[in-house]
Amino acid sequence: MHYLNELENKTIFLLREAYARFRNTALLGSIGKDSTAMLLIARKAFFNKIPFPVMHIDTGFKFREIYDFRDRYNKEWGLDPSRLTTTFYHT
């Protein structure tokens, strides 16, 4: 088995185990490359229907295209993500 396939399979296993054991599971992300990859793997793990909330950490500093990307995939994949906004304070 190819190394990346093995890593993906382990990740799918861990996602399924976490969901089976902890009902307050959520996927938290920023719509960056890492959280988008996790979202794709979560869809694969649960046969295109993620059974737990997807939460977007919104810093307010993203390009318009990133929000368009998020909105497009939310609609296409039937996601209804929570949006967590952050406030940055300058000291």
Side-chain angles (χ1 to χ4, degrees):
M1 183 183 297
H2 190 270
Y3 176 69
L4 291 178
N5 289 338
E6 185 178 333
L7 287 176
E8 181 181 69
N9 289 337
K10 286 179 181 180
T11 303
I12 288 171
F13 173 80
L14 289 172
L15 281 170
R16 289 176 178 164
E17 283 295 307
Y19 179 67
R21 293 182 189 200
F22 307 103
R23 288 297 170 177
N24 290 330
T25 307
L27 183 64
L28 185 64
S30 63
I31 312 177
K33 65 185 181 324
D34 299 328
S35 55
T36 300
M38 252 342 269
L39 183 60
L40 291 169
I41 292 172
R43 286 187 74 229
K44 193 178 237 187
F46 297 101
F47 309 101
N48 292 329
K49 181 66 177 156
I50 300 172
F52 43 79
V54 175
M55 303 177 83
H56 171 217
I57 303 171
D58 187 0
T59 62
F61 293 108
K62 295 185 180 356
F63 293 108
R64 178 74 243 155
E65 292 82 4
I66 292 176
Y67 295 111
D68 293 342
F69 174 84
R70 176 200 61 196
D71 296 342
R72 185 178 95 216
Y73 280 98
N74 286 343
K75 185 176 182 180
E76 285 180 20
W77 296 346
L79 301 174
D80 185 21
S82 300
R83 182 171 164 250
L84 302 175
T85 57
T86 58
T87 304
F88 290 93
Y89 296 98
H90 297 283
T91 58

